[in-house]
Amino acid sequence: MAVAFSNLNSDSGLKKLDEYLLTRSYITGYQASKDDITVYSFLAKLPSPAYVNASRWYKHIDALLRIPGVSGEGAGVTVEGSASITEAVATPPAADNKAPAAEEEDDDDVDLFGEETEEEKKAAEERAAALKASGKKKESGKSSVLMDVKPWDDETDMKKLEEAVRGVQMEGLTWGAAKLVPVGYGIKKLQIMLTIVDDLVSVDDLIENYLTVEPINEYVQSCDIVAFNKI
């Protein structure tokens, strides 16, 4: 049975989520699934420690998405009445605003996004293989994708960046919920959901030929696939 939540960024919405997770580890089922990603994407930031269960669940899903480690299909979840990105901008944790003086002096030399680790390269290769495999199926399916869109610096207009990203329209592509996630040194990245029809849209093509070329590359430095799940 599908699960429904509403106004997740309000006290009442967080209280309901916290009570729901009191006896559950995940939104549906016994493993992390696309239902967890859906609810996660609607939360503007880490829930307050007062919401013990919701906070614990959020940290767990956030960690899995970095691996990535979410593969379950889920049973279906609906989120209503959640704020748009302009109303639900994540607030950087205090640690980001109190960087050591030595680090502040070397801001120009810090590569916040860095080079890919071996684990990240392996994960990227696995995602690419999954994308190619999906194209071999006789019947067209759909996939849910969670993507990180990274700006050039802290002076990038994130509202215009999101507008530019959503401005990319093609058959089989549907943009979903989005939020800003702190990276550090005042920089935020756009984390956005999208749904694609596998036979019509290639995520690699979307990134390489639409999201990182002129004129969008005025705002976008790079894009990364955080999670890729079949629907």
Side-chain angles (χ1 to χ4, degrees), residues 89-92 149-151 158 180-184 186-190:
V89 176
T91 302
V149 183
K150 301 170 183 176
M158 296 304 292
L180 296 180
V181 179
V183 175
I187 298 178
K188 296 185 180 74
K189 63 183 177 182
L190 176 71

Side-chain angles (χ1 to χ4, degrees), residues 45 66 90-101 103-104 107 112 154 180-189:
K45 59 182 179 181
R66 296 172 190 275
T91 302
D96 287 340
N97 297 324
K98 297 181 180 179
E103 292 184 8
E104 292 178 358
D107 281 357
L112 291 172
D154 59 340
L180 296 180
V181 179
V183 175
Y185 299 92
I187 298 178
K188 296 185 180 74
K189 63 183 177 182

Side-chain angles (χ1 to χ4, degrees), residues 53-228:
N53 306 305
S55 178
R56 177 258 311 156
W57 166 84
Y58 185 99
K59 291 178 181 178
H60 179 55
I61 298 304
D62 185 68
L64 289 179
L65 289 176
R66 296 172 190 275
I67 299 175
V70 180
S71 59
E73 286 297 312
V77 63
T78 302
V79 180
E80 301 176 348
S82 292
S84 64
I85 185 172
T86 55
E87 299 170 329
V89 176
T91 302
D96 287 340
N97 297 324
K98 297 181 180 179
E103 292 184 8
E104 292 178 358
E105 294 175 358
D106 298 332
D107 281 357
D108 292 338
D109 299 324
V110 176
D111 184 356
L112 291 172
F113 303 125
E115 296 183 359
E116 285 187 322
T117 64
E118 289 301 320
E119 291 77 7
E120 290 172 334
K121 289 180 180 179
K122 183 177 180 181
E125 291 174 356
E126 292 176 350
R127 289 195 294 268
L131 287 173
K132 290 182 180 179
S134 68
K136 296 179 181 179
K137 293 188 176 181
K138 294 181 179 180
E139 296 183 2
S140 177
K142 291 185 178 181
S143 296
S144 174
V145 183
L146 182 63
M147 181 187 297
D148 279 349
V149 183
K150 301 170 183 176
W152 287 103
D153 51 40
D154 59 340
E155 295 183 357
T156 300
D157 188 324
M158 296 304 292
K159 183 176 181 181
K160 289 184 178 180
L161 181 148
E162 184 187 2
E163 291 175 349
V165 169
R166 291 185 183 278
V168 175
Q169 299 292 324
M170 62 178 67
E171 185 180 2
L173 170 65
T174 302
W175 295 106
K179 65 179 178 179
L180 296 180
V181 179
V183 175
Y185 299 92
I187 298 178
K188 296 185 180 74
K189 63 183 177 182
L190 176 71
Q191 195 165 80
I192 188 167
M193 295 277 296
L194 56 143
T195 301
I196 62 170
V197 175
D198 298 327
D199 286 352
L200 298 178
V201 180
S202 162
V203 178
D204 287 338
D205 178 64
L206 175 64
I207 293 175
E208 295 175 7
N209 298 319
Y210 293 89
L211 296 178
T212 55
V213 297
E214 294 182 352
I216 297 180
N217 61 3
E218 176 183 350
Y219 307 104
V220 177
Q221 181 201 84
S222 62
C223 301
D224 292 319
I225 300 173
V226 178
F228 186 97

